[in-house]
Amino acid sequence: MLMDVIGSTSAGTLVKSSAAASDFASGFRVYRPPTDASGPYIIVEGPDEALWFCQSQASAIGRLDLRSGEIVEFKLPNPRAFPVGITVGSDGALWFAQQGSDAIGRITLEGEITEFPLPAHSGPTGLILGPDGNVWFSEVEAGRISYVTPDGEVVQAAHLETTSRPLSLVVRDGEIWFSEVGAGKIGRLNLDGTLREYRTPSPSSAPRALACHPDGSIWAVLTDANALLRIGRDSEMTEYAVPSPEASLRGIVTTTAGDLWFTENATSCIGRAPADGSTITEFALPNAGSGVRCIMATSSDRIFFSAFDAGEIWEALPSRLLQAEAAPSAPL
């Protein structure tokens, strides 16, 4: 892959990929960052017609131009930052969690980086823009939910058991909902500090990614239970088993049409289900061992996901996938 050093920021070099995206007839398109084995993780759509994503293994933030397919990387000051989660803040900048260096980072659209330190052994992981204009985040190692204000003030909002290991966050009805992978629970935090926790039907289910559905429900992937979880308006929970055993579910997203898409890390598949969870279909990636993690949908419902082990960003092309032969599926 060709790379050009085209400038620098206060954080280090900016690297640009000149390689074009590749097409697969099987219904996928792949985008390769300049740095090999960079470990791309959480992806978010920015306000600039681009996707921004964490490159955990390279300690960098990547930007994928949705028009050209070009990727640029912004190297972080700490080579052991291990960024994981990323979101758009109320200020229009991208905010991200540096799990390895216990800090929250902020990067402008021009690539200027600022870091806000956290207490040691915090392990910030997931982030979401809250209804109050602050960026809320989970601290997986400390068992905390905290937030950072637009001017960089960090506030600890909720203390959980240290073994709860909170991960993903979403906002519903002005409250912060989050998964507790270590406790098998879904948490619900009001901005006034009121905390409620709901245990999933399957014990030791290891809930990870969460996604809000247009109908007002919240969906989650249960990694150890090998199932999708629906949390209704009344907090009632329903599980839907995934056909492939031990699929190691990681990411989930809903489209504006109400379809659910999710990733299977162990099987190198992505899955699709309707809003009622009635039938789950799995689609195998052309390359085994890709290590699929996050999956997201843009405002125009283009679907992208990260292939952590392959060091790539993939785009799913639903119209092609639905016409092609799917991996084994089963009605629930």
Side-chain angles (χ1 to χ4, degrees):
M1 176 173 294
L2 299 176
M3 293 183 292
D4 299 311
V5 177
I6 62 173
S8 64
T9 69
S10 59
T13 58
L14 169 64
V15 183
K16 176 180 177 180
S17 169
S18 59
S22 299
D23 284 302
F24 287 106
S26 53
F28 297 100
R29 180 179 294 135
V30 65
Y31 303 84
R32 297 186 176 88
T35 301
D36 292 334
S38 65
Y41 219 106
I42 304 301
I43 311 166
V44 68
E45 184 176 15
D48 57 347
E49 297 187 61
L51 300 184
W52 291 75
F53 58 97
C54 291
Q55 296 176 265
S56 301
Q57 303 283 27
S59 282
I61 301 299
R63 178 187 183 275
L64 167 60
D65 190 308
L66 289 174
R67 294 166 297 182
S68 67
E70 179 183 85
I71 294 177
V72 296
E73 295 175 350
F74 300 90
K75 299 292 185 179
L76 302 180
N78 189 330
R80 293 180 293 278
F82 202 85
V84 179
I86 188 168
T87 195
V88 180
S90 58
D91 57 356
L94 286 302
W95 293 72
F96 55 94
Q98 299 183 186
Q99 192 179 90
S101 57
D102 291 319
I104 298 298
R106 175 185 181 272
I107 183 170
T108 66
L109 300 184
E110 296 73 33
E112 182 179 349
I113 294 172
T114 308
E115 296 176 300
F116 305 96
L118 302 175
H121 310 297
S122 295
T125 302
L127 300 94
I128 194 74
L129 177 61
D132 54 358
N134 298 317
V135 172
W136 289 71
F137 59 94
S138 60
E139 297 177 73
V140 66
E141 300 298 336
R144 283 192 299 258
I145 302 297
S146 301
Y147 64 84
V148 56
T149 65
D151 60 3
E153 179 186 2
V154 176
V155 178
Q156 296 176 0
H159 295 262
L160 314 170
E161 293 186 8
T162 55
T163 55
S164 67
R165 298 182 65 79
L167 286 181
S168 178
L169 302 90
V170 294
V171 175
R172 184 174 78 173
D173 299 333
E175 295 180 309
I176 309 297
W177 292 71
F178 55 93
S179 60
E180 299 180 42
V181 68
K185 297 177 182 178
I186 303 296
R188 175 185 179 185
L189 180 64
N190 192 283
L191 297 188
D192 66 6
T194 302
L195 174 67
R196 300 180 182 87
E197 295 172 290
Y198 306 92
R199 191 172 297 279
T200 60
S202 292
S204 304
S205 59
R208 290 182 180 267
L210 302 178
C212 286
H213 194 275
D215 68 6
S217 62
I218 295 174
W219 287 77
V221 290
L222 304 180
T223 304
D224 288 355
N226 206 55
L228 305 182
L229 173 72
R230 183 184 186 275
I231 308 163
R233 281 288 188 185
D234 56 359
S235 301
E236 179 183 357
M237 296 187 180
T238 308
E239 294 182 3
Y240 301 89
V242 170
S244 293
E246 300 181 358
S248 186
L249 308 178
R250 296 302 181 93
I252 190 167
V253 70
T254 64
T255 67
T256 55
D259 293 334
L260 298 156
W261 291 82
F262 59 93
T263 60
E264 300 182 8
N265 180 59
T267 61
S268 286
C269 290
I270 64 170
R272 176 182 178 270
D276 62 2
S278 58
T279 303
I280 294 177
T281 307
E282 298 166 300
F283 304 91
L285 274 64
N287 300 340
S290 295
V292 289
R293 299 288 206 277
C294 163
I295 189 165
M296 59 83 67
T298 68
S299 54
S300 60
D301 273 347
R302 291 175 67 180
I303 297 172
F304 292 83
F305 57 95
S306 58
F308 185 93
D309 296 343
E312 298 164 341
I313 300 295
W314 288 57
E315 181 178 4
L317 308 174
S319 60
R320 296 188 190 178
L321 289 173
L322 296 174
Q323 293 172 3
E325 182 180 358
S329 61
L332 299 178

